[in-house]
Every structure is written in structure tokens, then in C-alpha cells.
């Protein structure tokens, strides 16, 4: 203890001062240590405040026009096969995109979620190589194969050389193709057998959409969509059942580019169907957001809020379509976030 007292007494913050002008004491040593600690704490406090950024947020009217929006998504359907799953998008301007395939990757998964196969093209089958008949007749010498569209041809020269092309021709006519066993192309390509082979599998669909910056919706559903008499219908020929399990997990859903601090409320959301077939609906309010970092770099993105609703297919007087629907609308107010040093 005496050694400690001696060290404190000899502690001197000003060793160059002549000893004739000061007197070393124990209390003086303690004051020197305490003062040094206080100065050290104040230094680190001011330094951390210097490094801390301040976010300044303000609301302005969104005056942007004619822009497009990229929607990034990653959704898993544990009990719907990739061959049955299609993606459609439409908006209030009347623009429609049915059975979207570009910028889309579908991954076949087993019942345990393990990857079986990943493919860039979604639904579809390769064109058949062996010729059948030309619209019910015989092929002439050196004539290129031209398969029948089975009544859905827009002209005599139109050809359907694969099962997918026949389905597309039917969709354009607004017809539902209810029996592929009568379609030569589908029988030769093994379309139904392919569906049976994927029975019990699930599908992970990942990609992005470019849509107009107006209210609209996009949805994942079994079968192929088509329009008839101003009604939105689906070709569910591949499923020989009256119920469709649309259980799903949203791994990622974002409107626009990521920016620091962005929170996407649907990331990781999982829903398991326990009732008969229906449509699961997400109503999304998108808020345009401009993020500016301390270096002045701007990120034009969006935030959103969401409400959820499940609708039974038999509810009411009209039968609703099975699937997962995302209805989005835009706020007229834009959030501007600026980081300051």
C-alpha cells in the first residue's frame, strides 16, 4: 500500500516544472488520474459523434412520370410443380404480360426442399423432330413440317409445332384446352407424363419484372391464363383435381434497388394452406423513396406496407382463381432521405 501511495505521490503531469514551485501530494496524483480519464472519455465521445451520420427525412410530392419499376422476387411453392406454375402481370393501363418467362429461373425441389433441377425457361417443351401431318393432310416433297393448331389457327398458314404452341394458340382464341390426350404434339412430347413425373414436387421461382409505374398486380398460379368475354380465366387442364394447394414462402420481395436501412416486410413470410383451394392476396402500398448517402450518391427505390387476405375459391357467387396475387398501388408522396455527417 505504501508503494502505491508513493507512486501516486511521484506521479507528475508536468515533470519539466522546477521542483521549487510545486509540492507532490497523494491527492494531487489522484486528481491527475481522474482528469486524464475524463479527458479520454470526452475525446472518444466527440470522436464517435464526429463519425455518426444524421439522417434527414422529408416528404415531397412525387412528380415522376413515364417511369418503369423493377420488382425482384424469390418465392417457393412446396407442393406446386414448376411445369404447372405460371407468372402473369397486368396493370390499370391495360398492359398485360401472360406466362412471363424472361428473367425468370424456376427450380424444381423435392418434398424436403432439396434442389432437383434449375431451368431458365419455365413452362414449355422442345419442338418435336418427327413430322406428323400438315393440318390434317400429308406433307409434300421437301415441305417443312407445319403442325395443326386444332382449330385455333388465325390463318391457314399458321403452324403449331409443339404442345406449348397449341396451348398458346388456344389462349389467343380465349379457349381452354381441356384434354391434351387429343393433341398429337402433346402426346408425342409426353406433356401429361411430364406432369405426372413431377407429381409431389415443389417449385422455387426467382427473377424480376419490369412494370409500368401505375397500379397493377402480378400473380403466380397453376395453369396458363387467357381472356374470354372480358373475363380473366385460367387453363387448368394439367391438374385433374378441384383443389390446389397454394402454400408458399416469400424469400424476397422488393420494389426497386436495395438501400441501407430498407425493410421489406414480406421477406421470409410463410403461409401454409389448411383450407380448400383459394387465392391468397397481398395488397401492397408502395412509397417511392430517394436515398442519398454522405457522398451524394442517389438511389431511387421504394418502401412498402402490406395487408393480407385469403379468399376461398367458392366464396360468393363467383368462383375465384387459385393462386398468390400481389396487388400494388403507389403513394403520391415521395420520401427523401439524406445522410449528413
Amino acid at each position: 500500500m505504501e508503494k502505491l501511495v508513493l507512486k501516486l505521490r511521484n506521479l507528475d503531469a508536468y515533470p519539466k516544472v522546477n521542483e521549487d514551485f510545486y509540492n507532490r501530494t497523494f491527492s494531487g496524483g489522484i486528481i491527475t488520474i481522474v482528469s486524464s480519464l475524463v479527458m479520454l472519455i470526452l475525446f472518444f465521445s466527440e470522436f464517435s459523434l464526429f463519425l455518426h451520420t444524421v439522417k434527414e427525412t422529408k416528404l415531397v410530392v412525387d412528380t415522376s412520370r413515364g417511369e418503369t419499376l423493377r420488382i425482384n422476387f424469390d418465392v417457393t411453392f412446396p407442393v406446386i410443380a414448376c411445369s404447372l406454375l405460371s407468372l402473369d402481370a397486368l396493370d390499370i393501363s391495360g398492359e398485360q404480360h401472360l406466362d412471363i418467362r424472361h428473367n425468370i429461373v424456376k427450380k424444381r425441389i423435392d418434398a424436403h426442399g432439396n434442389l432437383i433441377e434449375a431451368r431458365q425457361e419455365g413452362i414449355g417443351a422442345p419442338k418435336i423432330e418427327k413430322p406428323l401431318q400438315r393440318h390434317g393432310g400429308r406433307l409434300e416433297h421437301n415441305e417443312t413440317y407445319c403442325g395443326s393448331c386444332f382449330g385455333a389457327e388465325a390463318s391457314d398458314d399458321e403452324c403449331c409445332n409443339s404442345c406449348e404452341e397449341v396451348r398458346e394458340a388456344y389462349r389467343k382464341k380465349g379457349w381452354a384446352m381441356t384434354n391434351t390426350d387429343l393433341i398429337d404434339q402433346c402426346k408425342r412430347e409426353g406433356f401429361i407424363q411430364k406432369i405426372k413425373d413431377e407429381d409431389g414436387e415443389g417449385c422455387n421461382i426467382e427473377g424480376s419484372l419490369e412494370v409500368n409505374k401505375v397500379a397493377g398486380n402480378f400473380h403466380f398460379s397453376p395453369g396458363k391464363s387467357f381472356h374470354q368475354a372480358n373475363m380473366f380465366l385460367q387453363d387448368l387442364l394439367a391438374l385433374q383435381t378441384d383443389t390446389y394447394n397454394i402454400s408458399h414462402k416469400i424469400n424476397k420481395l422488393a420494389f426497386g434497388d436495395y438501400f441501407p436501412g430498407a425493410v421489406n416486410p414480406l421477406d421470409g413470410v410463410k403461409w401454409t394452406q389448411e383450407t380448400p383451394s383459394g387465392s391468397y392476396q397481398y395488397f401492397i402500398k408502395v412509397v417511392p423513396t430517394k436515398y442519398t448517402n454522405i457522398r451524394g450518391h442517389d438511389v431511387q427505390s421504394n418502401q412498402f406496407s402490406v395487408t393480407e387476405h385469403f379468399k376461398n375459391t367458392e366464396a360468393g357467387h363467383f368462383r375465384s382463381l387459385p393462386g398468390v396475387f400481389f396487388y400494388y398501388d403507389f403513394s403520391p408522396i415521395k420520401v427523401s432521405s439524406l445522410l449528413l455527417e
Side-chain angles (χ1 to χ4, degrees):
M1 189 64 182
E2 292 180 358
K3 292 182 178 180
L4 179 61
V5 172
L6 182 61
K7 288 182 178 181
L8 289 175
R9 181 175 295 173
N10 293 329
L11 183 63
D12 191 355
Y14 309 98
K16 295 184 179 181
V17 178
N18 195 307
E19 293 185 1
D20 296 335
F21 300 99
Y22 67 88
N23 182 29
R24 296 180 177 180
T25 62
F26 175 75
S27 59
I30 294 179
I31 292 174
T32 301
I33 293 177
V34 172
S35 301
S36 300
L37 290 176
V38 170
M39 287 187 291
L40 192 63
I41 292 173
L42 289 174
F43 170 77
F44 282 107
S45 175
E46 290 297 321
F47 185 68
S48 63
L49 185 61
F50 172 76
L51 296 179
H52 178 68
T53 56
V54 178
K55 181 183 290 187
E56 181 181 280
T57 302
K58 60 181 179 179
L59 302 179
V60 297
V61 176
D62 185 14
T63 58
S64 60
R65 298 178 182 273
E67 296 183 356
T68 59
L69 171 68
R70 187 175 73 253
I71 303 175
N72 303 301
F73 58 85
D74 181 355
V75 185
T76 299
F77 295 85
V79 290
I80 298 182
C82 287
S83 295
L84 303 178
L85 195 62
S86 65
L87 170 62
D88 307 313
L90 59 154
D91 58 43
I92 59 173
S93 69
E95 187 167 330
Q96 302 174 3
H97 299 279
L98 304 180
D99 195 17
I100 299 171
R101 304 186 191 184
H102 56 278
N103 298 329
I104 303 296
V105 176
K106 291 184 178 179
K107 301 176 183 178
R108 295 170 54 195
I109 57 177
D110 59 21
H112 303 288
N114 300 316
L115 178 65
I116 299 176
E117 177 192 15
R119 59 194 185 200
Q120 183 71 30
E121 299 224 2
I123 306 172
K127 296 181 183 296
I128 57 177
E129 298 177 356
K130 297 181 180 180
L132 294 175
Q133 295 179 338
R134 177 180 173 82
H135 293 183
R138 300 184 62 180
L139 286 169
E140 301 296 337
H141 182 64
N142 293 330
E143 185 178 14
T144 304
Y145 168 67
C146 180
S148 171
C149 296
F150 299 89
E153 300 92 349
S155 65
D156 292 338
D157 296 331
E158 185 174 358
C159 304
C160 294
N161 295 344
S162 70
C163 182
E164 187 62 29
E165 290 183 0
V166 176
R167 296 186 69 193
E168 182 66 18
Y170 268 58
R171 185 192 65 78
K172 291 179 180 179
K173 285 283 188 179
W175 300 348
M177 196 167 70
T178 57
N179 193 346
T180 54
D181 291 334
L182 302 179
I183 307 300
D184 291 335
Q185 291 90 326
C186 295
K187 288 192 295 183
R188 290 172 68 96
E189 293 172 3
F191 179 77
I192 294 298
Q193 185 59 43
K194 181 180 179 181
I195 300 298
K196 293 179 180 178
D197 291 342
E198 295 186 8
D199 185 37
E201 293 183 3
C203 185
N204 172 261
I205 180 168
E206 179 183 4
S208 62
L209 291 172
E210 288 285 344
V211 299
N212 296 322
K213 198 173 178 181
V214 295
N217 79 81
F218 65 97
H219 58 269
F220 304 91
S221 57
K224 174 170 283 192
S225 303
F226 64 95
H227 283 77
Q228 185 179 48
N230 296 325
M231 295 182 64
F232 189 73
L233 305 173
Q234 279 176 286
D235 173 9
L236 299 170
L237 64 100
L239 296 178
Q240 305 300 322
T241 177
D242 293 329
T243 59
Y244 312 94
N245 191 324
I246 57 170
S247 298
H248 59 277
K249 179 182 179 182
I250 303 174
N251 304 304
K252 180 183 73 172
L253 180 65
F255 291 79
D257 297 329
Y258 173 80
F259 61 91
V263 177
N264 298 321
L266 285 179
D267 288 0
V269 170
K270 182 178 181 181
W271 183 79
T272 303
Q273 180 172 315
E274 299 177 352
T275 59
S277 180
S279 62
Y280 203 86
Q281 302 168 332
Y282 295 94
F283 297 92
I284 298 172
K285 194 68 172 182
V286 181
V287 181
T289 302
K290 177 183 176 182
Y291 173 85
T292 305
N293 63 16
I294 57 177
R295 294 179 177 83
H297 176 67
D298 293 337
V299 176
Q300 299 289 346
S301 188
N302 301 273
Q303 304 177 71
F304 67 91
S305 61
V306 61
T307 56
E308 307 170 21
H309 177 68
F310 175 75
K311 183 179 180 181
N312 193 304
T313 53
E314 301 294 344
H317 300 286
F318 300 98
R319 182 180 179 87
S320 60
L321 299 175
V324 179
F325 293 75
F326 296 86
Y327 298 91
Y328 56 88
D329 195 3
F330 291 89
S331 169
I333 301 300
K334 183 176 185 178
V335 176
S336 178
S337 295
L338 175 64
L339 287 186
L340 303 174
E341 289 185 339

